[in-house]
Amino acid sequence: MPSTLSTILDELRATGAKLVAVSKTHPPEELMPLYLEGQRDFGENRIQEMATKRELMPKDIRWHAIGHLQTNKVKFIAPFVHLIHSVDSLKLLQEIDRQAEKAGRVIPCLLQMHIAREETKFGLNREELFSLLRAPEFEDMKHVEIRGLMGMATLTEDRELIRSEFRMLRLLLEELQSGFFSGKESFCELSMGMSSDYKIALEEGSTLVRIGSLLFGPRQN
Ligand SMILES: *Cc1c(COP(=O)(O)O)cnc(C)c1O
């Protein structure tokens, strides 16, 4: 029987999207079978947990920070993090820039947009996005590179609502590609889709799906 991983990878192949295996709460021994099958991109939402796993696991793993990130935690992942999906303020971006400079690198980032109906989900609205992009401080940052957008759809059975939220995010990406980021080929990533809604996200143009429970089973805490 093919593994869940290979089934998902088959589905992704047709679209060119990449898989971030969301391994939060699961210990390294549960990540290793996926690593041995060739998976290299893993996503974590807790900084301490990511730093610990990075110590314990093979060094060619690409670690993605996907959850809400506190400014004072950035320094712990700046030397190695592959992509930060969850930038939702200018202040956070400035701290990432500072820590990236200290680490002697440029850190790729996505701007997290609030696309869901729920109040609780983090992310920028349109107005906040444009005020961030137009801030004089934004231009001065040389150690972050904005690669695209991330968003989480409403947790609902309503597939059409989910689809409309993902579509809105894709249209925003396209708007920025031909506007603010025009000529910047590296601004192209759309991080959207989780276990319950990644198929819709793929249909709406996702380039990075973040899948946890489908690969690892229910979370352990
Ligand atoms: C936990 C989490 C995921 C994965 O969720 P699943 O439903 O387990 O696939 C994706 N993105 C973010 C930001 C998460 O926190």
Side-chain angles (χ1 to χ4, degrees):
M1 212 178 79
S3 66
T4 312
L5 176 64
S6 66
T7 307
I8 294 172
L9 291 178
D10 282 343
E11 290 171 319
L12 295 185
R13 201 156 292 128
T15 70
K18 279 175 296 192
L19 171 67
V20 177
V22 177
S23 47
K24 63 192 187 195
T25 78
H26 299 281
E29 57 270 27
E30 288 186 36
L31 280 58
M32 276 315 286
L34 274 73
Y35 178 86
L36 294 173
E37 274 192 73
Q39 179 65 21
R40 290 295 178 271
D41 292 270
F42 288 88
E44 293 284 336
N45 65 343
R46 295 212 186 89
I47 294 317
Q48 186 53 55
E49 192 176 334
M50 181 192 285
T52 304
K53 283 178 185 163
R54 174 171 199 254
E55 282 301 305
L56 298 171
M57 297 196 62
K59 290 296 170 274
D60 60 344
I61 289 178
R62 297 183 286 265
W63 294 102
H64 295 245
I66 60 167
H68 182 66
L69 183 54
Q70 285 171 287
T71 313
N72 61 0
K73 299 281 172 66
V74 173
K75 57 178 177 284
F76 299 115
I77 58 168
F80 68 88
V81 69
H82 179 69
L83 178 65
I84 299 177
H85 292 231
S86 44
V87 176
D88 60 0
S89 73
L90 182 63
K91 186 168 139 264
L92 175 59
L93 197 60
Q94 285 176 292
E95 176 62 10
I96 297 169
D97 185 61
R98 240 187 322 271
Q99 296 300 335
E101 182 171 13
K102 272 194 197 169
R105 60 184 296 237
V106 172
I107 298 182
C109 296
L110 306 179
L111 297 173
Q112 181 174 357
M113 298 302 299
H114 184 280
I115 56 171
R117 292 277 171 91
E118 291 112 355
E119 291 286 325
T120 52
K121 292 204 170 134
F122 294 103
L124 302 158
N125 62 34
R126 217 187 137 83
E127 194 182 313
E128 291 163 339
L129 169 71
F130 283 100
S131 86
L132 186 157
L133 294 176
R134 290 184 187 128
E137 297 91 333
F138 180 74
E139 256 185 273
D140 295 338
M141 292 184 224
K142 300 292 179 253
H143 296 84
V144 290
E145 182 176 46
I146 307 296
R147 292 273 176 88
L149 304 175
M150 182 273 228
M152 292 167 86
T154 304
L155 199 61
T156 172
E157 296 291 311
D158 182 348
R159 319 288 290 171
E160 287 315 305
L161 177 60
I162 295 171
R163 182 179 299 284
S164 71
E165 292 169 350
F166 286 148
R167 182 168 299 169
M168 195 166 65
L169 192 63
R170 194 232 312 149
L171 292 173
L172 180 60
L173 182 94
E174 289 172 359
E175 179 186 339
L176 292 169
Q177 281 177 317
S178 58
F180 191 88
F181 289 97
S182 92
K184 292 221 165 70
E185 297 288 316
S186 57
F187 184 82
C188 62
E189 301 288 357
L190 211 39
S191 170
M192 57 187 201
M194 320 194 342
S195 293
S196 60
D197 57 18
Y198 75 95
K199 290 184 193 199
I200 306 175
L202 290 172
E203 287 166 6
E204 295 302 328
S206 174
T207 68
L208 285 169
V209 293
R210 310 176 311 272
I211 297 182
S213 45
L214 202 57
L215 288 166
F216 294 102
R219 277 184 277 287
Q220 296 176 340
N221 52 45

